[in-house]
Amino acid sequence: MREKELRLALVCYGGISLAVYMHGITKEIWRLVRASRAMHAGEAPLGGTDAVYHALLAEIGERADLRLRVLADIIAGASAGGINGIFLAQAITTGQSLDPLTDLWLESADVDALTDPDAAPSSRFSKMWALPLAWMAAGRSAEAVDALDDPSTREEVRAKLSRFVRSRWFEPPFGGAILTRLVLDALAVMAKGEIGPRLLPPGQPLDLFITVTDFGGHPERLPLNSPAEVIETEHRLVLAFSDEGRPTEALAAAPELAFAARATSSFPGAFPPFRVAELDAVLAERGEDWPGRDAFLARALPRHHAAKGAEKAVLIDGSVLANAPFRPAMEALRNRPARRQVDRRFVYIDPSPGLKFRLGGSSATPGFFQTILGAISELPRHQPIRDNLDALATRSRAIERTRAILDAIRPAVEAEVEAAFGRVLFLDRPTPSRLSAWRSRAQQAAARQAGYAFAAYGHLKLAGVIDSIAKLGEGAGANRRARSAIAAIAPADPGDAAGIDFLRRFDIGYRIRRLRLLARRLGEMEDDGNRTLGPVRDAIYESLSAYLDAQRTDTHQALQPLARRLRAAPAEFLDALSDTLALTDLDDATDRNLAGALAALDRDSRRTLLLTYLGFPFFDAATLPLLREEGVDEFDAIRVDRICPDDAVAIRAGGAEATLKGAQFENFGAFFSRAYRENDYLWGRLHGAERLIDIVVSTLPGAVRLRPGRVAAIRRRAFRTILDEEEPRLTTIAPLFASLRREIG
């Protein structure tokens, strides 16, 4: 049976009180990846929608002869999406459960619980005249809201809205320390609950990125021609966390995750800006230590920390400048481990899509205050993601174009390989020593046939290797001076003995590209019905993983002290790096793996794969200038999917206005009623289940289809399962359950 991974890179938008809705969606993502892990481990699914997803994956295996593993390995979030992303990442990497969080969301995401005691109205008569302003600000009348709910809910909303509007003005009504305590409580609840296995394959890292806005900014040096450099103020911050592919009890220390959650959700005007002192005070009152405080601040706020001013940094909501944090998720695609064919998806969760800027009518000329408010608040936060999608599309087009070129030149390359080796190559069984000798011979043949073009290709490889070494040395991003130091001692000619030795010691990207090409050719053979290739597939991906692990920056901790002296002692650094990479040892292990697997194949299959493997120098010389750095990434086009109310119409059309109560009051609505939160959480699970089923089904090969009506039946089973599971808990929305059961049918 073929194997494939559906890898989800999640981008979670902000949404204020729609965080409760997003909790429902992320809960379904967690259940899907949990069910997938159980299926691959040969375990029975747990209850709820786990069983639905487990059965769907099993059905795909039977229908398409495809063993599909679903995993979420990249998560990026801002504001409310950042909080949900943190909890989901913690659950995936530790095996902890998201279930205990639901009651916490329903109880604590409430305006009364979040309001700072010092901000509450001093009496029930305070600012009574201000209540009508709330309805005006929300763009609706009290009567319109009344018509939506039962009497008890209407009274709850009215009472809480009254207290909220009559709380202190010109200062944030919500308490920052209150939110910090809630996040720490949530992490503690997860740690005390049910704990299962890690939900990613061994060695597959989980990367989490949380956006934050540095209100005061920090200086960044930008190189120019004249003057040599300038200093600008940068306000964007990205807090990065990774489990580096290893089992762990926590993605990071609880104070560090609370720091990220509190900072990214400091919605302007609602919560006060975040400072480190707030977290220090909360930890002190709870009697909790933070041993890694200084190291974390140095990593999270490097410029402030270097200037001994981390405690003075003022951080506000991450959605102010980066509400759709695609960029860090895209950068995390580099050098992902691959053990089988990959279907990479970017899935972005947008709880309130469409036209978000509503300060003025579509045709009216905005007034003075509308223009100012839009410029400083709404417009920066709600810029469309076209640039991000264009970047993904450009990358995908380059990959598709390269794959088309590979297919076009394959007959000519295979003819060159056969001419270079004759028939003896395909009569002999490969051994490790033969594979090594054959590779060298093929490289020489490619250089002869390409002529001067091969010299240009060699210089391109050499420049890429120098860039990679500089990045490893600096730890994050190539530094011009570090690159110059490496380039000064690197060979000038990649074709002479010194250049060949340099590439042999450091060109790990070449090895990765070669194995990816072989894996792609093997996948095409499996598509054609060859079911004898399992051992070769295992050998390819085992070797590929070893190279990728060696390339990851975070595996070279021993190099970091020496890396700080890179510019002063580049030769010493290169020797240490060569010993750490140990590419010769990895090459020997790869030769053993491949030789053993290829020798067991029939002659025709072995011939096809050897022609691809030995033809790689020809293929690489033709395609590397097109792909450049993308050539070492997941060698597949990326598809983008969205999860939002507008896309989930199997039960009810109409988007957020027809389903979500939290979208009222400019997305603050769910703070005013538990019934609203229960409503949004339930719809989050329903919408999440629908869209995830669609995404999983879309991985089926083009020639395979589920029978008509089957997807609808799977959705209905998931919907009914969710309703049965949640009805005992969600006690304030009984009419909604009755309505949904009728609508589902």
Side-chain angles (χ1 to χ4, degrees):
M1 182 179 290
R2 287 189 57 192
E3 294 190 352
K4 182 164 72 171
E5 287 182 348
L6 172 59
R7 295 186 177 181
L8 307 179
L10 303 172
V11 179
C12 306
Y13 286 23
I16 314 176
S17 79
L18 291 177
V20 183
Y21 171 74
M22 298 176 74
H23 168 63
I25 294 173
T26 55
K27 196 170 187 180
E28 287 306 302
I29 295 171
W30 167 68
R31 286 182 173 274
L32 171 60
V33 298
R34 188 172 67 167
S36 178
R37 189 218 61 83
M39 193 192 75
H40 274 255
E43 301 171 1
L46 300 175
T49 49
D50 289 51
V52 180
Y53 300 132
H54 193 283
L56 172 59
L57 296 172
E59 185 171 347
I60 287 175
E62 295 171 1
R63 292 282 299 165
D65 196 29
L66 178 65
R67 185 176 171 85
L68 181 66
R69 175 76 187 262
V70 184
L71 51 92
D73 63 338
I74 299 173
I75 302 173
S79 194
I83 290 182
N84 278 288
I86 288 169
F87 292 143
L88 177 60
Q90 178 81 334
I92 289 173
T93 195
T94 64
Q96 296 174 3
S97 173
L98 285 183
D99 280 330
L101 286 184
T102 301
D103 289 334
L104 202 64
W105 275 115
L106 297 178
E107 290 290 338
S108 301
D110 187 273
V111 66
D112 284 351
L114 294 172
T115 299
D116 190 319
D118 293 336
S122 57
S123 74
R124 64 190 182 93
F125 299 108
S126 299
K127 298 192 186 78
M128 288 297 293
W129 53 268
L131 185 56
L133 296 178
W135 306 109
M136 294 173 59
R140 66 195 314 162
S141 68
E143 289 73 18
V145 174
D146 284 351
L148 296 173
D149 308 304
D150 61 48
S152 62
T153 301
R154 289 199 298 269
E155 183 57 34
E156 179 188 16
V157 173
R158 283 175 170 275
K160 290 181 177 178
L161 182 62
S162 171
R163 290 193 291 273
F164 180 72
V165 172
R166 293 183 296 107
S167 62
R168 68 183 178 195
W169 289 11
F170 307 113
E171 288 187 57
F174 293 157
I178 293 174
L179 181 57
T180 299
R181 295 186 196 103
L182 289 176
V183 173
L184 290 169
D185 289 344
L187 293 170
V189 167
M190 290 179 65
K192 293 177 182 177
E194 174 188 358
I195 298 179
R198 185 174 181 268
L199 300 184
L200 288 171
Q204 181 73 27
L206 181 136
D207 291 315
L208 170 69
F209 304 97
I210 302 299
T211 64
V212 175
T213 302
D214 181 354
F215 188 79
H218 53 275
E220 290 286 351
R221 298 180 183 273
L222 304 179
L224 301 179
N225 177 59
S226 176
E229 66 178 17
V230 296
I231 297 178
E232 288 198 348
T233 302
E234 176 63 75
H235 296 272
R236 293 170 298 180
L237 282 177
V238 177
L239 305 180
F241 303 88
S242 178
D243 66 5
E244 301 176 5
R246 297 188 291 269
T248 179
E249 295 183 356
L251 180 61
E256 297 172 12
L257 297 178
F259 179 108
R262 169 65 178 90
T264 193
S265 57
S266 300
F267 191 83
F271 288 97
F274 174 70
R275 291 176 181 263
V276 179
E278 176 190 294
L279 178 57
D280 290 338
V282 170
L283 292 173
E285 75 180 24
R286 297 165 68 98
E288 298 179 11
D289 296 327
W290 187 5
R293 179 182 185 277
D294 288 342
F296 173 76
L297 293 180
R299 180 168 63 88
L301 303 169
R303 301 295 187 189
H304 294 283
H305 188 270
K308 303 186 183 304
E311 285 77 6
K312 299 178 181 179
V314 177
L315 307 179
I316 63 174
D317 196 284
S319 68
V320 171
L321 296 178
N323 190 51
F326 275 80
R327 181 180 58 82
M330 291 165 61
E331 292 177 352
L333 289 176
R334 301 185 186 281
N335 310 319
R336 309 299 289 180
R339 293 163 183 82
R340 53 188 63 86
Q341 182 184 359
V342 172
D343 183 346
R344 167 62 72 183
R345 304 294 182 90
F346 266 67
V347 179
Y348 70 97
I349 303 173
D350 186 356
S352 56
L355 185 61
K356 305 186 184 196
F357 182 53
R358 297 187 293 270
L359 288 175
S362 58
S363 60
T365 300
F368 177 76
F369 289 108
Q370 289 174 323
T371 304
I372 292 177
L373 289 173
I376 65 176
S377 61
E378 294 294 324
L379 289 178
R381 183 177 296 114
H382 296 311
Q383 278 298 292
I385 60 172
R386 178 180 299 173
D387 292 345
N388 304 119
L389 297 184
D390 285 348
L392 289 173
T394 298
R395 179 187 185 278
S396 295
R397 283 195 300 270
I399 289 175
E400 294 291 354
R401 183 166 55 246
T402 302
R403 294 176 72 159
I405 292 172
L406 291 174
D407 293 339
I409 67 176
R410 180 184 295 159
V413 170
E414 292 182 348
E416 292 290 347
V417 174
E418 287 185 322
F421 288 91
R423 294 179 54 82
V424 66
L425 172 64
F426 307 110
L427 294 176
D428 291 335
R429 289 186 179 273
T431 65
S433 61
R434 285 174 178 167
L435 275 183
S436 178
W438 291 347
R439 283 201 316 271
S440 177
R441 188 172 173 182
Q443 181 85 7
Q444 295 170 10
R448 286 195 307 269
Q449 294 297 325
Y452 69 86
F454 204 82
Y457 158 73
H459 281 283
L460 181 61
K461 286 209 306 175
L462 183 63
V465 171
I466 292 173
D467 285 342
S468 298
I469 293 173
K471 289 179 181 179
L472 285 173
E474 291 298 304
N479 179 283
R480 282 196 308 167
R481 285 171 289 184
R483 190 190 186 285
S484 298
I486 297 297
I489 64 169
D493 185 355
D496 63 17
I500 292 172
D501 180 68
F502 184 83
L503 294 176
R504 180 184 58 80
R505 294 171 65 198
F506 300 111
D507 194 358
I508 193 170
Y510 180 87
R511 278 96 161 172
I512 292 171
R513 295 193 301 274
R514 181 171 59 204
L515 288 174
R516 289 205 187 281
L517 180 68
L518 189 61
R520 177 175 177 258
R521 188 70 178 107
L522 180 138
E524 292 170 347
M525 295 169 66
E526 290 181 323
D527 286 340
D528 292 336
N530 193 326
R531 296 292 178 261
T532 66
L533 302 173
V536 182
R537 184 200 317 117
D538 293 341
I540 292 171
Y541 283 111
E542 178 183 344
S543 300
L544 182 58
S545 297
Y547 286 121
L548 288 168
D549 288 343
Q551 192 181 45
R552 285 181 61 85
T553 303
D554 50 29
T555 65
H556 305 301
Q557 298 302 320
L559 289 175
Q560 294 311 305
L562 185 58
R564 285 191 285 270
R565 299 197 301 113
L566 168 61
R567 293 190 292 271
E572 187 179 351
F573 176 78
L574 285 182
D575 289 340
L577 177 60
S578 179
D579 293 340
T580 302
L581 292 176
L583 291 187
T584 301
D585 294 340
L586 292 180
D587 292 343
D588 292 342
T590 299
D591 288 338
R592 290 192 298 272
N593 289 341
L594 291 180
L598 290 170
L601 295 179
D602 64 89
R603 181 179 176 182
D604 289 342
S605 298
R606 184 170 66 247
R607 175 183 181 276
T608 298
L609 291 174
L610 279 174
L611 284 173
T612 299
Y613 188 63
L614 299 178
F616 175 73
F618 297 89
F619 291 118
D620 200 46
T623 59
L624 183 62
L626 296 176
L627 275 181
R628 299 296 298 273
E629 292 184 348
E630 283 79 2
V632 299
D633 293 341
E634 295 168 352
F635 192 67
D636 297 276
I638 295 173
R639 289 186 280 180
V640 181
D641 299 287
R642 182 177 73 167
I643 299 178
C644 82
D646 290 1
D647 306 322
V649 296
I651 301 175
R652 184 184 298 176
E657 291 187 359
T659 55
L660 304 185
K661 298 299 183 71
Q664 298 177 34
F665 306 114
E666 301 299 325
N667 289 347
F668 274 82
F671 290 145
F672 294 106
S673 170
R674 179 182 174 109
Y676 283 13
R677 294 191 291 280
E678 290 187 0
N679 174 93
D680 289 3
Y681 161 69
L682 181 61
W683 277 111
R685 287 201 64 185
L686 295 170
H687 287 169
E690 177 182 344
R691 293 295 294 129
L692 290 173
I693 290 170
D694 291 344
I695 291 169
V696 170
V697 170
S698 72
T699 65
L700 285 169
V704 179
R705 291 286 184 271
L706 298 182
R707 64 181 183 271
R710 182 63 187 135
V711 175
I714 296 170
R715 289 174 180 166
R716 281 196 297 272
R717 181 187 173 194
F719 297 156
R720 291 170 180 152
T721 300
I722 292 170
L723 295 182
D724 291 343
E725 181 181 0
E726 296 294 352
E727 194 163 15
R729 180 191 349 229
L730 309 181
T731 57
T732 67
I733 53 172
L736 177 61
F737 279 94
S739 175
L740 287 172
R741 292 189 187 279
R742 290 193 301 270
E743 295 176 68
I744 291 168

